[in-house]
Amino acid sequence: MIRFTLRQLTYFTTTAELGSIARAGRKLRVSAAAISAAIDALEDLSGCILFDRFPAQGMRLTAVGAQLDAEARTVLAAARNWEQSTRYLREEASGHVRLGTYHALAYVFGLPIVMRNRERWPKVRLELVQTNLLSLLQQLDHGDLDVMLVYDNRFDRAARDVTDLGTVRAKVILAETHPLAQRRRLKLADLEGLPYVQLTDDTQGPTMLDSLRGLGLNPEVHFSSSSYELVRSAVGKGLGFTLSALQPANPTTYHGDRLVAIPLDAPVQERRIVALCRKGRASEPLIQNVVSSCRHVLDTAMRL
């Protein structure tokens, strides 16, 4: 945890520049007591004497103080750059950013990300592109996409910039009318003999059904679809259970049935969500603001 403030660093560097607490106070229009308190706090925090004090002659940096003064100026310069970038993004940034993702991730997170980005950077148009992983990677590498929001499939991090955004954990999805729907947690044995509704997703990684089979449970698949919402609707109609790492805030399906999401004691699949862009683009302001919007929406969803 950072225990100093930018204000304390400003008071410290100004005193170092002017050689006097009184002169620093006049320049910054604060009291000498405030300057002195900030310097005392930094000395306590660092465990070092930052200034040699000379009565009637002012103050001079110690050797350690001079090193920390240079580092403090670097921190303050970075903070000013961050503030300028933020102001630019908020007030002036404009452009068109193409964000690619899977259909299921777009269904749950796509619109909140678009709305968050629109709220923070109203002149930046964010376009969602939804397809399978192979197509997303091809479009990214050809420059047809700017950013990808996908599960981490151990991408080559030397070839692309990858930003970790968080981990989602699979839960059992059941119709609210199912006999198990009132349970707070489920065991793998509770699912024995129940039919499964399979999402034939576009992530090209191990599926939830693969995870169940790896744990020794091999349910009979009664319905499958590549449509995330159609799978939810089938579960709502009682065709079986499914596993999903994504749980929309709205538990009601298109057909009016309500679903419940219940944690499973067994170590079923966890999935890390990442943002990808072409190598060297992660520092671009428009890319950064989209990734920031993605992180905000995912963090909010994971706290629910």
Side-chain angles (χ1 to χ4, degrees), residues 41 70 76 103 128 142 149 208 229 243 254 279 293:
L76 290 171
H103 289 86
L128 280 180
H142 292 161
L149 178 69
M208 295 297 180
E229 185 51 42
L243 290 178
Y254 280 157
K279 196 68 178 178
S293 295

Side-chain angles (χ1 to χ4, degrees), residues 208-265:
M208 295 297 180
L209 185 57
D210 292 333
S211 296
L212 285 177
R213 288 170 174 164
L215 294 169
L217 189 71
N218 191 20
E220 183 179 349
V221 177
H222 278 199
F223 183 86
S224 64
S225 174
S226 61
S227 166
Y228 179 71
E229 185 51 42
L230 191 53
V231 164
R232 282 168 40 86
S233 294
V235 171
K237 291 300 182 186
L239 297 187
F241 77 95
T242 195
L243 290 178
S244 177
L246 306 174
Q247 293 88 43
N250 180 9
T252 305
T253 72
Y254 280 157
H255 296 276
D257 302 298
R258 292 179 63 84
L259 305 177
V260 295
I262 307 175
L264 186 64
D265 283 343

Side-chain angles (χ1 to χ4, degrees), residues 31-293:
S31 69
I35 302 286
S36 181
I39 293 172
D40 289 345
L42 291 175
E43 289 186 330
D44 289 342
L45 177 61
S46 65
C48 303
I49 301 299
L50 303 179
F51 290 99
D52 289 322
R53 278 87 166 167
F54 301 97
Q57 297 182 36
M59 304 173 67
R60 185 173 60 205
L61 287 168
T62 63
V64 171
Q67 178 179 342
L68 294 181
D69 174 59
E71 294 179 3
R73 292 177 187 277
T74 299
V75 171
L76 290 171
R80 284 191 294 271
N81 288 338
W82 184 89
E83 184 177 25
Q84 290 170 0
S85 295
T86 301
R87 185 179 301 112
Y88 163 76
L89 289 171
R90 184 177 63 249
E91 298 174 0
E92 301 178 25
S94 62
H96 178 199
V97 180
R98 292 153 298 186
L99 172 64
T101 189
Y102 313 127
H103 289 86
L105 286 179
Y107 175 77
V108 179
F109 300 122
L111 189 56
I113 290 171
V114 169
M115 297 307 296
R116 169 71 177 182
N117 211 74
R118 183 185 180 92
E119 172 189 326
R120 299 293 301 277
W121 300 283
K123 298 181 182 179
V124 177
R125 179 186 168 216
L126 180 58
E127 177 186 352
L128 280 180
V129 177
Q130 303 156 62
T131 185
N132 60 64
L133 178 62
L134 181 58
S135 179
L136 289 172
L137 288 171
Q138 290 175 341
Q139 291 185 61
L140 184 76
D141 292 340
H142 292 161
D144 297 323
L145 284 179
D146 300 296
V147 192
M148 285 171 51
L149 178 69
V150 290
Y151 293 126
D152 188 356
N153 284 335
R154 299 182 179 179
F155 299 102
D156 182 1
R157 296 190 176 222
R160 304 178 182 93
D161 287 333
V162 183
T163 303
D164 293 325
L165 298 178
T167 300
V168 289
R169 294 169 176 82
K171 293 183 180 180
V172 178
I173 310 300
L174 292 166
E176 191 178 55
T177 56
H178 194 281
L180 297 176
Q182 302 307 313
R183 300 276 190 91
R184 296 187 64 180
R185 298 189 71 84
L186 291 172
K187 298 179 180 179
L188 200 62
D190 295 325
L191 305 177
E192 190 72 44
L194 296 182
Y196 188 73
V197 178
Q198 182 182 17
L199 174 66
T200 55
D201 63 21
D202 43 17
T203 65
Q204 294 186 295
T207 67
M208 295 297 180
L209 185 57
D210 292 333
S211 296
L212 285 177
R213 288 170 174 164
L215 294 169
L217 189 71
N218 191 20
E220 183 179 349
V221 177
H222 278 199
F223 183 86
S224 64
S225 174
S226 61
S227 166
Y228 179 71
E229 185 51 42
L230 191 53
V231 164
R232 282 168 40 86
S233 294
V235 171
K237 291 300 182 186
L239 297 187
F241 77 95
T242 195
L243 290 178
S244 177
L246 306 174
Q247 293 88 43
N250 180 9
T252 305
T253 72
Y254 280 157
H255 296 276
D257 302 298
R258 292 179 63 84
L259 305 177
V260 295
I262 307 175
L264 186 64
D265 283 343
V268 182
Q269 202 174 80
E270 291 186 346
R271 290 188 168 185
R272 176 162 289 277
I273 298 178
V274 298
L276 269 70
C277 63
R278 295 175 71 181
K279 196 68 178 178
R281 295 201 64 192
S283 60
E284 294 179 17
L286 293 184
I287 300 293
Q288 287 181 336
N289 72 32
V290 171
V291 173
S292 173
S293 295

